[in-house]
Amino acid sequence: MQNKLVETFTRKAEAVSAVVKKIKNLQDAFDYTVSICTDKEACQMLMSGCDLPVSDSAGRLCELKPGEKIIAAPDLDDKNMEQLKTLAEKQGIILISRGLREYVAGIDIGLAIADLGLAETGTLVLISSSEDLRLATMLSEINIMVLPLSRMRAGSYEASDELSAMVNNGSNYLSFITGASRTADIERVLALGVHGPLELHILLWEDV
Amino acid sequence: MLTANNLKEYLNEIEDALENDFQRKTLDTFAVAYRTGRANAFAGIDIQTLVKEIASSKDASIARMDALFKEFKKKAEALGVHVHLAKDAHEANEIIADIARKNSCQNIVKAKSMTAEETHLNTHLEKEGLRVVETDLGEWIIQLRNEPPSHMVLPAIHLSRYQVADVFEEVTKKKQDSNVHKLVKVARRELRKEYVQADMGVTGANFAVAETGSLGLVTNEGNARLVTTLPRVHVALVGLEKLTPNLRDALLILKALPRNATGQQITSYVSWITGPNECDSAPDKKKIMHIVFLDNGRRKLSRDKNFSQILRCIRCGACANVCPVYRLVGGHKYGYVYIGAVGLVMTYFFHGRDKAKLLVQNCVNCGACKEVCAAGIDLPGLIKDIHAKIQDEDGHPPKSRLLAMVMKNRRLFHTLLKNMRFAQLPFADKESRYVRHLPSIFMKGQDFRKLPILARKPFRDQWKDIKPVVVRPELKVALFSGCAVDFIYPEQMTAAVKVISRGRSIAQDHPDKQTCCGLPALMMGEKKTAREVARQNLEAFDPEGVDYIVSLCASCASHLKHNYPKLLAEDKKLSNQLKAFTDKIIDFSSFVRDVMRISPMLFKQSGQKVGYHSPCHLCRGLEVREAPRANLSMTHNYVPTDEEEVCCGFGGSYSLNFPAVSRTLLAKKMANLVAGGISAVATDCPGCVMQIRGGMARDGKDIQVKHVAELMAERLK
């Protein structure tokens, strides 16, 4: 059953151009994140628009960006944060966890741990009441999400009780994320990364 | 946005739209790709059941609109949300402007909202001196061009990359490349800075969940997430019909929404926002959140037995995607703010009779919208109802009044039809088959297909001579010919009688008092007359005494079967008779294949390549798809051609009122058929025969167009 869900989830997520990998533990996730970030040329590789002819005022926003690469990981506990920080610093990457709205010009990588996975549509569910967590998955050029396999469900309908409980818990902001930010508004041509991440990477954490 | 003041201006605008090659090509490609995309997205899902579930869930919510609003308000207010109820568009705009004033907001970023389009919110806020920037890419483009959306989901589908590049050059003051991906990234960077300086974010909502006081927002771009996160104030403008009792009902709709809209299983983002969330730029680090519910006629509408169904609409835009008229003229000529089939109806309720009265006439009644609707809304039916309602309010035009008067009196109607032949003959060609020319007052724009001359002798007058004698009948069949078969193409019914009489002991009768089915009256907004002739037909037939009522006309048959119960719903004492009548209606092709189980041994295969045109009211109206093709394969070499189920453009009086659209639909239909390399076309509707045969004759194409019954009768051994 679990295998089948994982298989469906992977197929559906890949169909919307997400990258899906399996990992054994969180350490793998940190290694992956830092290596992706190291290989990534800030702004350039993903063509987030750095070289394009934007207006002067939009261009100025870019100047807000520090020269270094940035990983944002707002919801890690202290121990994990420390672990990731050590790895990142070795590569000259800045790791941040709060005050993300200061980085609207762009964050290279946003890392977060999903609360549920919905196999039917390849969807990640993220309780993102924290502003920084929300922004990490919006402002980043690459969004890396860890999904513990114990949190895999068949679909939104099957998980509706859990989802209802998540929604019915004081003020909150629940996100379903399926693939990268996309548009087809110009001549119906599919283009990724219109406002949010240009890529979504999903790391399936075999925690069971 | 439709600007025409009268039908003549509207027809001119339509002619202009038909000249827009880019839009035509884009919408053509989209219409074809959409069909496949949708089918793939729904693979493994029982669509009909899902649609029924959505319809009943929405109906239940609509019936409890006030209670759900109360529940939502209580829940959301307890969390600190300010909940408003605006009685109309103006009040909603005022409330939102007031929120901006009180919170000293200057810069507004907006996520896509059809409800805000409905209230013309941007115009109002801009008049108040506020700066409003749309952040959905398509909406931003049309905002920069100062245009309304031309599609509910793809607002800028009418524009080319070059037009977008031009607009972006103005914004950036830099030369732009027309590469779509580059343009998208330019928008990404231009709009990022807008989020930074915005102090208020405005969104709509796809769902308002009463149980938890949550809003559900469905987007692909992710702009709604930024709009609801970065600015310190969030205002959502939400139609009351978006209220659902709980999350599960919202998830049910979410199953269909992206699949039906764009062929996606789900959109990239779905956000469920409950109460004011953490917001670093707000005082107390808590978002200032307002939800403005919009009534604008919805509460009244929710109590209307018939029209309340349009509140089921989930704004997927599918009714435009499949509409053959939309595909030709584009959204700006096919709606006011809301476009497509549902737009034709909504315009009346949300923007008034004046804006709706031309639009509702521009429906060919092909039923494609009804078939695709995620909420099971009877769109063609409602469009006709609005048309009738507008005529009742505004007065009926003389043409339709005359038709209504004549049609109610069967004898007069039939005498006139018979005499019409004599009026036509001076204008007939040598063989008396087609009208050669008509005085131009009758023929403006009509010469795209040849019109037939009425038959020398209608079928009703031939019947007593050809009626087959059956001594001990095992099955009794009554024939419903309909006006076109009876008075123009009696040979079709003669052929059908010949085929049916090959069955064992089938008695056939053609009740003399039958009259027009009434669909033309309904198409012209003459509902009373449609009702009156329905009663007459019910009386003419003895449904208890026959096993089947067979019709050669798909439009008549589907009207008799599906519209009669609606037309005569109030006539309680007719209900038994009505049920017996409608239960027995069957089309010729299904009767021959499924009831008679006719044997291929009766026919001599011709080997001739024959194409098929699937009449709208057969494939969608009666959901008959296989029978005619199977019948055809018995007698000829049936060759499938492209888009067999797309309307030929006839639509009864539609082709007379909107000749430009009818002409273009026919041209497409003929091109698809000709491409099949066939020598004949079969169909199951005399109206389609009239249209396609007339077009082939006009263009001098050597392709015969016949009823399936004729092609079968010709091959009988």
Side-chain angles (χ1 to χ4, degrees):
Chain A
M1 182 63 190
Q2 178 76 5
N3 282 348
K4 216 178 151 206
L5 289 186
V6 172
E7 190 267 319
T8 308
F9 179 91
T10 307
R11 189 161 38 84
K12 296 290 183 177
E14 284 175 348
V16 289
S17 31
V19 177
V20 185
K21 306 256 185 223
K22 282 195 178 172
I23 55 166
K24 293 263 177 273
N25 47 49
L26 276 182
Q27 181 66 41
D28 287 352
F30 301 154
D31 289 339
Y32 182 84
T33 304
V34 171
S35 104
I36 291 280
C37 193
T38 309
D39 294 344
K40 173 182 180 293
E41 238 175 286
C43 291
Q44 292 294 322
M45 185 184 84
L46 291 167
M47 268 193 34
S48 69
C50 269
D51 54 339
L52 294 178
V54 296
S55 64
D56 294 342
S57 54
R60 277 195 290 278
L61 191 64
C62 234
E63 294 163 12
L64 289 173
K65 245 185 132 170
E68 298 92 342
K69 292 182 193 173
I70 307 164
I71 294 176
D75 70 338
L76 295 183
D77 61 26
D78 290 350
K79 198 179 120 240
N80 282 323
M81 197 65 191
E82 209 44 54
Q83 228 175 344
L84 179 58
K85 198 172 176 184
T86 317
L87 283 174
E89 276 176 358
K90 256 191 231 162
Q91 302 295 334
I93 299 167
I94 301 174
L95 177 67
I96 57 170
S97 63
R98 62 178 82 92
L100 262 66
R101 65 164 59 230
E102 298 305 317
Y103 297 84
V104 179
I107 290 167
D108 293 274
I109 293 190
L111 173 69
I113 300 174
D115 293 288
L116 286 182
L118 308 174
E120 188 191 17
T121 48
T123 299
L124 299 161
V125 178
L126 181 70
I127 302 173
S128 41
S129 310
S130 134
E131 176 181 300
D132 287 319
L133 184 54
R134 230 177 300 152
L135 288 175
T137 63
M138 296 180 197
L139 297 177
S140 55
E141 291 174 5
I142 299 179
N143 183 198
I144 299 179
M145 298 285 289
V146 176
L147 173 63
L149 288 184
S150 59
R151 309 298 293 162
M152 183 70 83
R153 305 290 180 266
S156 64
Y157 228 49
E158 289 78 0
S160 65
D161 287 347
E162 276 172 288
L163 292 168
S164 290
M166 289 174 182
V167 166
N168 202 2
N169 183 26
S171 277
N172 67 85
Y173 198 119
L174 188 72
S175 295
F176 290 3
I177 300 172
T178 315
S181 158
R182 60 175 56 214
T183 186
D185 274 354
I186 304 177
E187 291 193 10
R188 292 182 51 251
V189 175
L190 177 67
L192 297 179
V194 53
H195 290 284
L198 298 106
E199 290 181 15
L200 175 68
H201 296 217
I202 303 169
L203 305 178
L204 300 176
W205 175 15
E206 292 168 324
D207 66 331
V208 276
Chain B
M1 192 175 286
L2 194 65
T3 48
N5 294 308
N6 54 50
L7 196 58
K8 202 175 153 208
E9 282 179 29
Y10 187 32
L11 291 173
N12 286 336
E13 288 186 10
I14 285 172
E15 288 279 6
D16 287 347
L18 289 170
E19 303 277 307
N20 183 342
D21 290 339
F22 172 79
Q23 175 170 278
R24 288 272 307 276
K25 198 165 160 259
T26 306
L27 296 182
D28 263 348
T29 323
F30 177 44
V32 175
Y34 170 75
R35 247 177 258 146
T36 320
R38 178 180 187 266
N40 290 342
F42 275 111
I45 293 177
D46 176 358
I47 306 184
Q48 279 187 337
T49 307
L50 180 61
V51 168
K52 268 189 203 138
E53 284 171 2
I54 290 174
S56 69
S57 152
K58 286 298 282 185
D59 282 348
S61 300
I62 293 161
R64 294 181 53 223
M65 192 177 267
D66 286 350
L68 290 177
F69 170 71
K70 233 187 236 167
E71 188 186 348
F72 185 99
K73 186 174 153 82
K74 196 173 161 203
K75 188 79 194 182
E77 282 178 345
L79 293 167
V81 182
H82 308 273
V83 181
H84 313 255
L85 177 60
K87 66 173 187 306
D88 56 24
H90 183 73
E91 194 175 287
N93 295 344
E94 282 280 308
I95 292 171
I96 296 172
D98 195 48
I99 297 167
R101 265 193 303 271
K102 285 196 174 129
N103 291 284
S104 325
C105 298
Q106 263 309 309
N107 292 299
I108 298 175
V109 278
K110 228 174 122 261
K112 185 172 157 46
S113 156
M114 281 311 296
T115 315
E117 295 282 353
E118 176 185 329
T119 67
H120 301 295
L121 176 64
N122 290 4
T123 319
H124 186 97
L125 296 178
E126 279 163 1
K127 265 194 211 140
E128 296 276 324
L130 296 155
R131 186 163 175 272
V132 186
V133 177
E134 294 283 353
T135 60
D136 172 88
L137 177 58
E139 288 283 332
W140 188 50
I141 294 167
I142 59 166
Q143 184 191 27
L144 293 170
R145 284 176 55 97
N146 206 6
E147 283 182 326
S150 77
H151 188 281
M152 286 209 270
V153 178
L154 299 156
I157 192 171
H158 58 290
L159 297 174
S160 73
R161 61 188 74 193
Y162 306 102
Q163 289 170 297
V164 175
D166 286 349
V167 176
F168 284 10
E169 280 186 9
E170 273 175 51
V171 178
T172 58
K173 309 274 182 262
K174 307 260 164 72
K175 182 99 190 94
Q176 293 294 335
D177 192 322
S178 62
N179 176 300
V180 173
H181 296 277
K182 287 188 177 169
L183 290 170
V184 168
K185 299 294 155 40
V186 168
R188 174 188 174 97
R189 293 197 51 207
E190 291 296 334
L191 290 167
R192 273 282 167 105
K193 78 169 196 290
E194 300 297 342
Y195 298 116
V196 178
Q197 55 184 351
D199 31 35
M200 179 163 146
V202 174
T203 67
N206 297 87
F207 312 105
V209 181
E211 188 182 53
T212 54
S214 315
L215 298 177
L217 280 122
V218 180
T219 77
N220 271 313
E221 299 186 359
N223 58 319
R225 305 175 81 213
L226 288 163
V227 164
T228 55
T229 297
L230 289 168
R232 61 191 152 85
V233 181
H234 173 203
V235 180
L237 176 62
V238 187
L240 280 169
E241 79 282 13
K242 301 285 171 60
L243 283 157
T244 65
N246 51 49
L247 184 67
R248 211 175 152 80
D249 281 64
L251 290 172
L252 177 75
I253 296 164
L254 185 61
K255 252 189 182 179
L257 176 55
R259 289 184 166 95
N260 224 37
T262 50
Q264 288 177 280
Q265 316 235 339
I266 193 167
T267 50
S268 299
Y269 303 103
V270 181
S271 307
W272 304 97
I273 306 173
T274 314
N277 277 275
E278 190 184 82
C279 177
D280 255 2
S281 57
D284 309 330
K285 298 198 181 290
K286 213 169 171 197
K287 179 84 75 188
I288 299 162
M289 190 173 175
H290 290 258
I291 301 177
V292 182
F293 280 94
L294 179 66
D295 179 351
N296 205 21
R298 286 165 171 82
R299 290 178 63 225
K300 187 174 168 215
L301 199 48
S302 73
R303 294 186 289 268
D304 188 299
K305 237 172 71 190
N306 186 28
F307 290 113
S308 62
Q309 22 170 344
I310 66 155
L311 296 173
R312 286 185 199 158
C313 174
I314 62 168
R315 308 285 192 275
C316 67
C319 56
N321 300 353
V322 298
C323 172
V325 182
Y326 166 82
R327 182 173 163 181
L328 293 184
V329 305
H332 287 160
K333 300 294 161 229
Y334 211 56
Y336 181 66
V337 167
Y338 292 107
I339 59 113
V342 79
L344 269 45
V345 184
M346 282 184 180
T347 300
Y348 175 87
F349 289 104
F350 298 145
H351 297 107
R353 186 163 69 213
D354 274 358
K355 305 277 190 292
K357 67 181 179 208
L358 299 172
L359 292 170
V360 290
Q361 299 178 49
N362 195 4
C363 164
V364 69
N365 199 32
C366 73
C369 50
K370 182 180 175 180
E371 185 186 49
V372 83
C373 179
I377 307 173
D378 177 15
L379 291 159
L382 294 185
I383 291 169
K384 300 294 162 267
D385 288 343
I386 294 284
H387 188 185
K389 201 172 155 69
I390 290 175
Q391 287 195 178
D392 288 346
E393 291 164 359
D394 263 4
H396 292 228
K399 198 162 63 172
S400 102
R401 243 184 5 234
L402 185 70
L403 173 100
M405 186 200 76
V406 170
M407 205 178 265
K408 273 187 223 168
N409 183 336
R410 185 186 65 81
R411 278 172 191 283
L412 173 66
F413 179 54
H414 285 164
T415 309
L416 279 175
L417 275 177
K418 284 179 204 175
N419 288 328
M420 239 173 78
R421 178 179 161 84
F422 300 107
Q424 278 182 322
L425 282 177
F427 306 104
D429 62 4
K430 265 188 258 155
E431 295 85 19
S432 299
R433 290 187 65 198
Y434 298 108
V435 178
R436 190 163 37 88
H437 65 91
L438 264 184
S440 60
I441 48 158
F442 297 119
M443 284 298 278
K444 191 165 182 324
Q446 297 295 332
D447 55 351
F448 62 92
R449 37 92 164 107
K450 291 194 172 186
L451 291 169
I453 296 288
L454 269 69
R456 196 177 302 270
K457 201 172 181 185
F459 184 79
R460 57 179 57 242
D461 295 344
Q462 300 179 29
W463 177 241
K464 60 178 189 309
D465 301 326
I466 62 163
K467 181 177 176 168
V469 181
V470 178
V471 188
R472 233 170 276 121
E474 285 171 18
L475 201 68
K476 286 184 187 166
V477 166
L479 304 170
F480 183 91
S481 50
C483 308
V485 167
D486 200 349
F487 290 89
I488 305 172
Y489 303 125
E491 66 276 13
Q492 294 180 0
M493 192 56 105
T494 313
V497 170
K498 228 167 125 184
V499 176
I500 295 172
S501 61
R502 287 300 188 89
R504 270 179 40 148
S505 316
I506 304 176
Q508 302 180 62
D509 191 24
H510 185 264
D512 194 49
K513 286 197 171 141
Q514 63 180 285
T515 186
C516 173
C517 67
L519 181 62
L522 200 64
M523 284 289 286
M524 293 182 82
E526 296 294 337
K527 211 168 172 176
K528 262 191 214 150
T529 303
R531 200 170 280 139
E532 177 55 34
V533 293
R535 278 193 207 104
Q536 292 176 13
N537 277 322
L538 220 54
E539 210 166 286
F541 283 77
D542 167 23
E544 312 283 356
V546 293
D547 300 297
Y548 290 96
I549 299 170
V550 178
S551 178
L552 295 194
C553 176
S555 299
C556 295
S558 110
H559 179 68
L560 299 174
K561 199 171 183 74
H562 299 308
N563 288 341
Y564 274 26
K566 278 180 256 172
L567 286 167
L568 300 176
E570 308 290 314
D571 258 321
K572 296 286 179 239
K573 57 181 187 301
L574 287 178
S575 67
N576 288 340
Q577 203 185 348
L578 182 66
K579 185 162 184 325
F581 182 81
T582 54
D583 281 353
K584 285 168 185 172
I585 303 289
I586 191 168
D587 63 289
F588 170 79
S589 277
S590 301
F591 179 77
V592 168
R593 189 190 70 148
D594 304 335
V595 180
M596 285 173 68
R597 294 174 189 279
I598 205 157
S599 158
M601 306 290 282
L602 291 174
F603 302 97
K604 212 170 127 197
Q605 242 291 346
S606 77
Q608 185 194 355
K609 279 186 174 178
V610 173
Y612 181 67
H613 162 68
S614 190
C616 299
H617 297 152
L618 190 75
C619 63
R620 286 176 291 272
L622 296 172
E623 295 181 73
V624 172
R625 292 187 157 90
E626 284 165 26
R629 291 173 174 91
N631 290 340
L632 210 52
S633 301
M634 274 194 266
T635 56
H636 298 78
N637 175 14
Y638 159 57
V639 179
T641 51
D642 282 347
E643 306 211 286
E644 287 180 344
E645 291 193 356
V646 173
C647 182
C648 66
F650 179 62
S653 54
Y654 180 84
S655 61
L656 300 175
N657 294 336
F658 290 88
V661 178
S662 178
R663 174 191 77 212
T664 318
L665 286 173
L666 175 60
K668 273 167 174 276
K669 175 56 68 179
M670 293 206 297
N672 282 330
L673 288 166
V674 168
I678 50 175
S679 59
V681 182
T683 187
D684 287 83
C685 189
C688 305
V689 169
M690 192 190 302
Q691 175 88 341
I692 303 171
R693 186 187 283 176
M696 294 286 187
R698 162 75 168 65
D699 286 7
K701 293 265 185 294
D702 193 19
I703 296 179
Q704 290 187 310
V705 184
K706 290 188 170 174
H707 197 284
V708 169
E710 291 176 279
L711 286 170
M712 292 184 84
E714 285 168 14
R715 304 306 304 166
L716 277 169
K717 282 182 191 164

